[in-house]
Amino acid sequence: AAPEGRARGCPCSVPGTLILLLIYLAYLALGTGVFWMLEGSLAWNSSRSFQRDKWALLRNFTCLDGPALDSMIRGIVQAYKSGSLVLGNTTSMERWELVGSFFFSVSTITTIGYGNLSPHTLAARLFCIFFALVGIPLNLVVLNRLGHLMLRGMHRCAHRLGGTLQDPTKARCLAGCGAFLSGLLLFLLLPPLLFSHMEGWNYMEGFYFAFITLSTVGFGDYMIGMNPDQTYPVWYRNMVSLWILFGMAWLALIIQLILSLMETPGKACSCYYEGSEED
Amino acid sequence: AAPEGRARGCPCSVPGTLILLLIYLAYLALGTGVFWMLEGSLAWNSSRSFQRDKWALLRNFTCLDGPALDSMIRGIVQAYKSGSLVLGNTTSMERWELVGSFFFSVSTITTIGYGNLSPHTLAARLFCIFFALVGIPLNLVVLNRLGHLMLRGMHRCAHRLGGTLQDPTKARCLAGCGAFLSGLLLFLLLPPLLFSHMEGWNYMEGFYFAFITLSTVGFGDYMIGMNPDQTYPVWYRNMVSLWILFGMAWLALIIQLILSLMETPGKACSCYYEGSEED
Ligand SMILES: [K+]
Ligand SMILES: [K+]
């Protein structure tokens, strides 16, 4: 119990924190380098191909000159960013209608924040801040509860399966592994199949969307229900809402596990520890 | 100690969870209604003003007809969304350069996910997933540590100030209130002044940006360092990085406090409880 007690105490020695910050910065530097390497050249190429398209456009429409087109593009991008560009063929998710407002509320309190919609009036912004201040903890309560329920469900399954298995510790470990594997299948590996069918993405795009959503990063580069050429069945959005809720609870459990492994590597599998104490 | 024990036990009765889910849905419905009311009419108006601008443009450039302009706007928005539109006057934060890649890494592991940049190659996406899977827990470790350090610092201050005050409980409460108020000033009320000076926003826009960033929602509608007409001093971005790190640790403490108030309302101020037990 001694190492556990030490690990549980206030871990805030200043040199330890500095080492941690250095690791953190090194990790960020690694990410910076790799992303730069992987994306930099592509971005350069696609920028050049866009310039080519622009010249083709200029040849077609002779009344447009270079600077006029540039300023027009800038104006359109500005209008798009500020949310005032609402084209005829946008979906209901891109407008402040019932579905859009609901998904904005969900994306705010889950802290996903896709950003396809964002409030522009002062009143809506102030309300958004208060809404998030209560909604984010409320969402955490719900996620905690769902995570507990999911773990308990798996626990019961393990007990029922291993009725002969007189070791509660092993049953708990089994439940944990089961929760991990079934969650992986149910929340990260199977949903991309549905998304690729409904949205016309490939499997990897669906998987990337699933991970970026459940980890609450939410870049907003992919989002469900945004294809105006597609008609979505009614059950689809409800399914996706349920998937977000349960999947987020599951991924939060996984991230908590990785977190506890990082903070106290000695407690790698706490169920083994507790088991050996009982022996 | 009895009510605390009950509250600490596994809070996963099924009817309780259903009630919680109903509260959650009602809260989302409230948000949906208010956002719809506050933003719906504005979006409608600005859409109409954009249509007006478009007609003005059509009169100026006679070679463009309605459908051609529409398809052009759609193409430009598509190129902008997919990241291939890189205009001449974009800042280094909008490109996959050193600064942009670094801020992308920060926004990924903090789960802010502004979305001004997002990976487009398969390799970068896969790396992004692994980077987040380790980076998010690492970031949580750092935030926990910083939160502990901040609390301990405030605790010491309170002790030093109230040397005559023989009650450690009162000192802890004082430290908590001090941490809350100084954090509010340092992380939410003062930074908008800097942002409004540097980015040309008004105070409310800066406050909205600060809250949306520190709560890790990160819609990406506002972001620092994105104004191409502005030159930013070197210390500015470092200051902002430090602000994000410490401010997030602080807001996480506040959200944890609200969370504990929601889960166990009886423990409203746990320091009072522990104090009365010692008497
Ligand atoms: K986010
Ligand atoms: K986001």
Side-chain angles (χ1 to χ4, degrees), chain B residues 209-222:
Chain B
F209 165 76
F211 183 84
I212 291 299
T213 295
L214 295 188
S215 61
T216 76
V217 173
F219 290 126
D221 48 354
Y222 287 90

Side-chain angles (χ1 to χ4, degrees), chain A:
Chain A
E4 201 183 301
R6 204 175 4 153
R8 263 196 198 164
C10 180
C12 29
S13 69
V14 176
T17 305
L18 282 180
I19 292 170
L20 188 66
L21 282 177
L22 282 179
I23 294 173
Y24 186 73
L25 281 178
Y27 191 73
L28 279 176
L30 169 82
T32 305
V34 174
F35 285 120
W36 190 10
M37 202 181 68
L38 292 175
E39 284 286 329
S41 57
L42 177 92
W44 181 245
N45 285 341
S46 65
S47 163
R48 278 178 61 193
S49 88
F50 179 76
Q51 297 296 332
R52 247 199 325 270
D53 291 356
K54 218 171 74 174
W55 288 118
L57 205 72
L58 281 177
R59 267 198 297 277
N60 281 346
F61 300 105
T62 45
C63 66
L64 282 172
D65 54 340
L69 186 62
D70 264 352
S71 79
M72 196 173 126
I73 289 173
R74 219 161 289 148
I76 289 168
V77 168
Q78 202 58 46
Y80 176 75
K81 269 178 169 175
S82 72
S84 63
L85 193 160
V86 183
L87 290 168
N89 70 343
T90 50
T91 65
S92 58
M93 299 282 274
E94 288 173 289
R95 287 189 299 250
W96 285 103
E97 286 179 5
L98 197 63
V99 180
S101 300
F102 178 76
F103 262 80
F104 173 76
S105 302
V106 171
S107 94
T108 301
I109 70 173
T110 54
T111 75
I112 295 174
Y114 285 118
N116 64 315
L117 281 175
S118 56
H120 289 97
T121 59
L122 181 65
R125 280 179 185 162
L126 282 177
F127 178 73
C128 180
I129 289 172
F130 286 108
F131 187 70
L133 211 51
V134 178
I136 292 171
L138 178 65
N139 183 61
L140 287 176
V141 171
V142 170
L143 289 188
N144 264 342
R145 191 67 72 94
L146 288 180
H148 268 122
L149 271 181
M150 277 157 51
L151 267 187
R152 206 174 56 158
M154 278 312 297
H155 198 66
R156 280 194 186 156
C157 281
H159 262 288
R160 216 166 280 170
L161 277 172
T164 51
L165 192 80
Q166 291 286 321
D167 193 349
T169 303
K170 247 182 212 161
R172 216 185 318 153
C173 280
L174 201 71
C177 294
F180 174 73
L181 289 177
S182 60
L184 193 68
L185 200 70
L186 207 61
F187 299 126
L188 276 182
L189 297 178
L190 289 181
L193 294 175
L194 177 67
F195 298 144
S196 60
H197 177 71
M198 286 289 178
E199 311 281 345
W201 301 337
N202 64 38
Y203 184 83
M204 261 313 295
E205 288 177 315
F207 182 76
Y208 168 75
F209 165 76
F211 182 83
I212 291 298
T213 296
L214 295 188
S215 62
T216 76
V217 174
F219 290 125
D221 48 352
Y222 287 89
M223 210 189 138
I224 59 117
M226 296 290 267
N227 192 343
D229 305 328
Q230 207 90 22
T231 53
Y232 298 99
V234 178
W235 57 265
Y236 179 58
R237 275 173 190 152
N238 297 326
M239 274 288 284
V240 169
S241 300
L242 280 180
W243 165 74
I244 287 181
L245 212 56
F246 281 89
M248 212 170 260
W250 171 77
L251 202 66
L253 282 179
I254 302 298
I255 283 177
Q256 268 175 34
L257 181 74
I258 300 178
L259 181 66
S260 69
L261 287 182
M262 275 184 179
E263 283 199 318
T264 52
K267 269 173 74 186
C269 189
S270 64
C271 39
Y272 283 121
Y273 265 76
E274 285 176 43
S276 59
E277 273 171 38
E278 278 173 48
D279 287 339

Side-chain angles (χ1 to χ4, degrees), chain B residues 56 59 81 100 102 107 127 134 155 157 164 231 234 251 254 279:
Chain B
R59 266 196 300 276
K81 270 178 167 175
F102 178 76
S107 94
F127 178 74
V134 178
H155 198 66
C157 281
T164 50
T231 52
V234 178
L251 203 66
I254 303 298
D279 288 339

Side-chain angles (χ1 to χ4, degrees), chain A residues 11 24 39 63 120 139 145, chain B residues 11 24 27 39 63 120 139 145:
Chain A
Y24 186 73
E39 284 286 329
C63 66
H120 289 97
N139 183 61
R145 191 67 72 94
Chain B
Y24 185 73
Y27 191 74
E39 284 286 329
C63 65
H120 289 98
N139 183 61
R145 191 67 71 94

